[in-house]
Amino acid sequence: MIAFALAVALAQSPQPVSPVPVAPQPEGKKLFAKAKCIKCHGEDGTGDTEKGRELKAPDFTSADFQKETTDEEMTDAITKGVKDKKKKVLMPPYKNKLRGEDIQVLVRYVRSLGGNR
């Protein structure tokens, strides 16, 4: 009886979620280009463009960026934009240009640029 109760309890407990792919590559890549992220962040996400070097855009392929930046921080940066300490706009806000779902696609795409770290 105890074994049966334990089996039922285990069957009803939450099961580990299998890993979800980091990003829908084609959709994220298209949106990254359409939203003009490439101008500063580069096609490969390294930030190695004239504008990216000028604004010190982060390297999305960097293990440090991937480890130290949360999805929430990325969502916030895309939604609200980024300013430096002097309030100069480094990246404009996209809250009125992109739907919430699109912002999440971009976050997953940026995450995918770092590989599956």
Side-chain angles (χ1 to χ4, degrees):
M1 186 65 143
I2 293 174
F4 177 73
L6 182 58
V8 170
L10 287 174
Q12 293 175 351
S13 67
Q15 299 300 311
V17 178
S18 54
V20 177
V22 174
Q25 293 292 333
E27 184 183 0
K29 188 172 186 170
K30 285 180 195 172
L31 191 55
F32 195 73
K34 183 179 176 185
K36 299 182 178 144
C37 305
I38 290 172
K39 183 175 181 179
C40 298
H41 297 288
E43 236 178 285
D44 60 359
T46 61
D48 192 18
T49 67
E50 185 176 336
K51 197 70 171 169
R53 288 186 297 276
E54 177 188 325
L55 297 173
K56 297 181 176 134
D59 177 357
F60 297 148
T61 67
S62 153
D64 286 340
F65 175 85
Q66 293 292 331
K67 182 174 55 175
E68 296 168 4
T69 308
T70 67
D71 289 358
E72 292 78 19
E73 289 170 325
M74 282 191 265
T75 299
D76 197 49
I78 297 167
T79 303
K80 297 177 183 174
V82 177
K83 294 180 182 179
D84 67 10
K85 291 178 183 176
K86 296 180 181 178
K87 303 294 183 196
K88 176 186 173 195
V89 175
L90 302 176
M91 185 175 105
Y94 282 83
K95 66 181 172 194
N96 296 325
K97 298 174 185 173
L98 297 173
R99 299 175 304 141
E101 301 84 32
D102 291 335
I103 291 172
Q104 292 311 305
V105 167
L106 281 176
V107 168
R108 289 191 306 271
Y109 181 70
V110 167
R111 192 59 77 199
S112 78
L113 293 172
N116 290 320
R117 292 182 172 88

